Structure formats: C-alpha cells, structure tokens
Amino acid sequence: MKRERLDKVLANMGLGTRKEVKALVKQGAVVVDGVVANDPGMHVVAEEQEILVDGEPLNYKRWVYVLMNKPPGVISATEDSMHETVVDLLPYEWAIKVHPVGRLDIDTEGLLLLTNDGQLSHSLLSPKKKVEKEYFARIDGRVTEEHVAAFAKGVELEDFTTLPAKLEILSSGENSEIRVTIMEGKFHQVKRMFAAFGLHVSYLQRVRMGPLHLDPSLEPGEYRELTEEELTMLQQHVKGNQ
C-alpha cells in the first residue's frame, strides 16, 4: 500500500484545501490510530490505518469507479466554462479525483464510466483492445438490411473507414429503432455512420461498454459505484483482450 502525506489524503477526500486541512490537523481534529496527529506532513497508509476527523472515521478509497447514466445537455469533461460537466454531478470528494472514460456527445445519453484508475481507462479506450460499445438509437428514416450489410463491412467516412460494426434493426419505417455495436469511439462516429447513408440520428443512448451494462434503475443524471463483480469483469475483459 502507498504511503501518502496526511494533508494530501484529507484534501483528496474533499475535506478542504491543503491549507484548510493543515489547519484541521493543527487544531487537533485529526486522530490517526488513536493518537492525535500534530504533523500535517506525516505519512500514512490511508487504506490500513484508522483516521478520525472530528471523531468521524475517514473511509478512504484510493480508486474510485463510478457508473453514470449521463443525461443530455451535460458534457463528458472534467471542466468547462460554458456547460455543466459530468463531474459537476458528482459529490466533491469524487469530482476532484475522477475523469470520464471516453466521451459521449452533449446530447447523447447513457452509460459513462468515471474513474481515477488511469490504467483501466487507457485499456478500455485502446483501439488494440477492441472493447465493444453498444448503442440504442432512433433514426429518422428507414434502416434496411442493406445498411446492416454495409455496417458489417465497415463504413467509409471522409477521414477513415470504420471497423466492422454490428447493426440490429429493432423496427423499421419512417422512423426506425436500432442497436449498433462499434469497437471504436471516434468523434460523432455513430451519427456519422448513419449520415453516410443520408440518415439522421434523432436519439442516441449508450447501453454497454465491454461487459458493463447500463443500470436500468439509474435515471439520467444518477450514478453509483461499480460493484466488485462489475469491476472484476471489466478488469478481466481488458486483460483477456491483450
């Protein structure tokens, strides 16, 4: 386990700035393993030691994994001067740590993973891993088996040709509903793939990333931590795709 400065641990838990948590320590408000801490720079192993702040235990977690149902109108970023971001929806102690794994367009809803585990994030986004991303979409126009075949071959766009994608037609007519699974995550990719055939995506929702599925109990804007089972599945999935 990693040893870290006490003031850094407290600040990372959202208890204040480094200056503010140093003042907390000097006031005698922090107890480590039954002893009042008097040095903000003392090194602790936060996962193993008992740390009390004003008598309340500090439940420290080094790694944070958050599953969110991203709502429309919110951007997949850690900060932005114009729009609300996905981390703005989180409690402060998570928001200061995590970043979104990949991006969903501002008007796209659905599954978004946020974490401070850079290695897992990199693996999930690496083209070499070919992690599937599955979307549900509503399309203005009729989607046909010809489109299914074209997606399966890879769609030629202006700047690149997509990898083969699985397109499933749920309903077809003046407006169609589909599921599409891609192994990339390029800018506006799903929308651009349909636009290549003169079709407009009117609604887009990501429902799966690798083995991780959108929790149907989460309303747009809601979130929860990953379960141990979900985290293990993700870790094993990227390891198996090496």
Side-chain angles (χ1 to χ4, degrees), residues 23-235:
L24 266 181
V25 174
K26 291 177 179 178
Q27 292 164 13
V30 182
V31 175
V32 179
D33 291 338
V35 179
V36 176
N38 53 25
D39 178 10
M42 70 178 290
H43 284 78
V44 296
V45 181
E47 295 98 328
E48 295 182 349
Q49 294 180 265
E50 181 188 57
I51 302 175
L52 304 179
V53 180
D54 289 329
E56 295 295 324
L58 184 74
N59 296 316
Y60 182 79
K61 290 184 178 180
R62 179 176 302 279
W63 305 115
V64 179
Y65 304 91
V66 181
L67 174 65
M68 176 182 289
N69 184 356
K70 178 194 168 299
V74 178
I75 65 169
S76 302
T78 55
E79 58 181 343
D80 188 86
S81 59
M82 300 282 292
H83 301 94
E84 186 177 30
T85 72
V86 288
V87 297
D88 291 332
L89 304 177
L90 300 175
Y92 179 74
E93 62 268 23
W94 288 355
I96 61 174
K97 286 185 175 185
V98 302
H99 61 269
V101 180
R103 292 177 178 270
L104 293 178
D105 299 338
I106 189 169
D107 57 346
T108 299
E109 302 181 19
L111 186 154
L112 186 66
L113 178 65
L114 300 102
T115 183
N116 60 339
D117 186 339
Q119 183 174 351
L120 179 63
S121 178
H122 175 75
S123 295
L124 288 170
L125 296 175
S126 171
K128 295 179 181 179
K129 300 292 186 180
K130 296 183 178 179
V131 176
E132 292 184 343
K133 290 93 176 173
E134 182 180 347
Y135 296 81
F136 166 79
R138 297 191 184 100
I139 311 296
D140 295 338
R142 184 180 298 276
V143 180
T144 69
E145 291 300 324
E146 291 182 4
H147 298 121
V148 174
F151 272 51
K153 292 178 182 178
V155 179
E156 186 174 344
L157 303 178
E158 287 183 5
D159 50 342
F160 77 106
T161 299
T162 72
L163 291 173
K166 179 183 177 183
L167 176 59
E168 178 186 0
I169 301 172
L170 303 178
S171 65
S172 181
E174 184 176 334
N175 297 291
S176 303
E177 292 189 345
I178 61 91
R179 285 186 184 270
V180 60
T181 303
I182 62 176
M183 288 181 288
E184 301 140 304
K186 308 253 182 172
F187 186 64
H188 289 323
Q189 181 171 335
V190 172
K191 295 175 182 176
R192 293 179 65 199
M193 290 172 76
F194 282 100
F197 300 95
L199 298 169
H200 173 71
V201 177
S202 60
Y203 174 81
L204 188 61
Q205 178 192 49
R206 184 158 65 189
V207 296
R208 180 173 64 86
M209 174 184 275
L212 184 63
H213 290 259
L214 179 63
D215 185 338
S217 71
L218 293 178
E219 295 293 330
E222 292 185 339
Y223 53 85
R224 63 166 173 79
E225 288 189 86
L226 288 190
T227 65
E228 290 286 342
E229 181 182 6
E230 288 170 332
L231 177 57
T232 298
M233 282 195 307
L234 271 182
Q235 292 170 332

